[in-house]
Amino acid sequence: MDSSELYHVKQQFILGAYKSLVNLTLPDPGSPDYTPILVYQARAHIALNEPEAVSQVVPEDTENVALKAVSALARYVVASSADKKDTSLEELRDLCIEIEGEDVDADENEKGMVRVLAGTAFALAGEVEEALETLGAGTSTQNLEAVAFTVQIYLSINRPDLARKEFDQAKRWSEDDLLLQLIESSIGLVTGKDGYSDCNSFYTEQLGNPSLSSAHLLTARGVTRLLRGEVPAAKCDFEEAVSQLGGKPDAETLAAMTVAAGLGTSKHAEADQLFSQLQSQYPSYPMVLDVDRKADLFDELCAKFDVPPLAVATA
């Protein structure tokens, strides 16, 4: 069973309170909580788009498989060339093989963390099938973080039916865990179940926690409000999220602000300006890639279209 300190750290990470985690004072290296908390802190750096900071907090000579995995994920994210990215992916594949060995020095939690981190990298690389296999999709694995990420992958490829199947299976063995509630809210956000009321209530409840500060949750609730047609309220959430991020919106908040600017009575020039900012700062964000693909397709179709000559009236 997790200690109260580790439990709190997990809650902070799950709810996107990444800034709190990167500023957290680590326990003594001799504490059993030291390694798992360090892994969550390193993951928080990656989530904040600070992967280079991981090498400063994780010892280079570590033999712990979970710390090796989070370092490899950070190197994958920060890599500037395809060769370097491939090297990091191979490191993670080797670690996935290593944890299957009988003589590996790792407990089940550390093994599960390796699978989650490796699955994250494989998904980022577009290796969806490998990511799902690594995470144990469709199996009896009892790792709720792996289930959560599996659900996110299925939702990203427009398979909410499979996401729901993973969630329903997890409910059979998992307790009423906060992460389980978050998984259900994610599915509800995509499917629009009950007019988004369940996910909206969940985000609002978590934001009422005075000990939690999470721009991620604010953005999630803002998106829910957009889907419910509550544009002014959504914009308030996005503004507060930007404030918590120190005035610089992350990719998901900037994308949501772009959509909000194109709705209601806002001027479309604002939406164009925000999208240009998103395109410039986060060129690999899914929304940017999708719009770019559609723009290319439009240009391709236009090039194939022959404008017929104007009809000339005859006397």
Side-chain angles (χ1 to χ4, degrees):
M1 186 174 178
D2 294 336
S3 69
S4 58
E5 183 177 9
L6 179 55
Y7 177 81
H8 179 67
V9 166
K10 282 186 175 181
Q11 303 292 68
Q12 295 278 92
F13 183 82
I14 287 168
L15 295 174
Y18 306 126
K19 283 194 172 293
S20 298
L21 291 182
V22 298
N23 295 320
L24 183 71
T25 300
L26 291 168
D28 184 271
S31 166
D33 287 343
Y34 174 77
T35 295
I37 289 178
L38 179 54
V39 171
Y40 280 112
Q41 187 176 72
R43 293 175 70 186
H45 276 296
I46 296 172
L48 288 171
N49 200 30
E50 303 168 353
E52 65 283 347
V54 174
S55 63
Q56 300 172 21
V57 297
V58 176
E60 186 177 354
D61 59 350
T62 183
E63 290 300 320
N64 182 275
V65 290
L67 290 175
K68 285 183 177 180
V70 77
S71 294
L73 174 60
R75 285 193 292 273
Y76 172 83
V77 173
V78 81
S80 56
S81 69
D83 287 344
K84 289 181 179 180
K85 286 186 177 294
D86 287 343
T87 298
S88 297
L89 292 177
E90 286 304 317
E91 288 180 44
L92 288 163
R93 291 186 180 105
D94 290 342
L95 284 170
C96 287
I97 294 172
E98 181 180 341
I99 61 175
E100 297 301 325
E102 295 181 359
D103 58 346
V104 63
D105 183 19
D107 59 30
E108 289 305 313
N109 288 331
E110 290 170 335
K111 292 178 182 178
M113 186 61 70
V114 170
R115 296 186 184 98
V116 168
L117 293 165
T120 301
F122 299 151
L124 289 173
E127 301 293 342
V128 174
E129 290 187 10
E130 184 175 14
L132 291 172
E133 182 179 355
T134 301
L135 293 165
T139 69
S140 57
T141 180
Q142 295 192 4
N143 182 334
L144 201 54
E145 279 206 54
V147 172
F149 200 72
T150 298
V151 166
Q152 291 298 325
I153 292 175
Y154 279 138
L155 293 177
S156 73
I157 60 175
N158 198 30
R159 291 303 305 269
D161 55 324
L162 296 179
R164 170 62 67 174
K165 185 177 180 180
E166 289 286 333
F167 170 70
D168 288 340
Q169 184 173 344
K171 285 197 298 183
R172 300 187 189 118
W173 51 262
S174 178
E175 298 178 359
D176 185 16
D177 189 276
L178 179 66
L179 182 52
L180 196 65
Q181 297 175 54
L182 182 61
I183 294 170
E184 185 173 27
S185 295
S186 298
I187 296 173
L189 188 62
V190 171
T191 60
K193 181 184 176 183
D194 298 325
Y196 307 102
S197 60
D198 288 345
C199 51
N200 185 67
S201 297
F202 173 76
Y203 298 136
T204 299
E205 179 184 353
Q206 300 309 318
L207 285 167
N209 184 344
S211 65
L212 179 72
S213 176
S214 172
H216 176 76
L217 271 182
L218 280 163
T219 299
R221 186 177 67 176
V223 170
T224 304
R225 286 174 160 177
L226 276 185
L227 293 168
R228 289 161 62 92
E230 302 167 2
V231 179
K235 288 185 176 181
C236 288
D237 279 344
F238 301 146
E239 289 171 3
E240 177 61 25
V242 173
S243 177
Q244 290 191 11
L245 291 166
K248 182 182 178 182
D250 58 13
E252 63 179 14
T253 304
L254 188 53
M257 291 168 63
T258 303
V259 174
L263 300 174
T265 59
S266 297
K267 296 179 180 179
H268 290 290
E270 181 186 356
D272 291 339
Q273 184 272 324
L274 288 169
F275 183 74
S276 295
Q277 184 181 345
L278 179 68
Q279 200 172 31
S280 172
Q281 295 179 3
Y282 306 101
S284 61
Y285 191 71
M287 179 177 170
V288 173
L289 296 177
D290 185 49
V291 171
D292 287 346
R293 278 194 297 266
K294 288 174 179 174
D296 291 341
L297 181 60
F298 180 79
D299 291 341
E300 181 182 338
L301 292 174
C302 285
K304 295 178 179 178
F305 181 74
D306 292 327
V307 180
L310 292 173
V312 179
T314 58

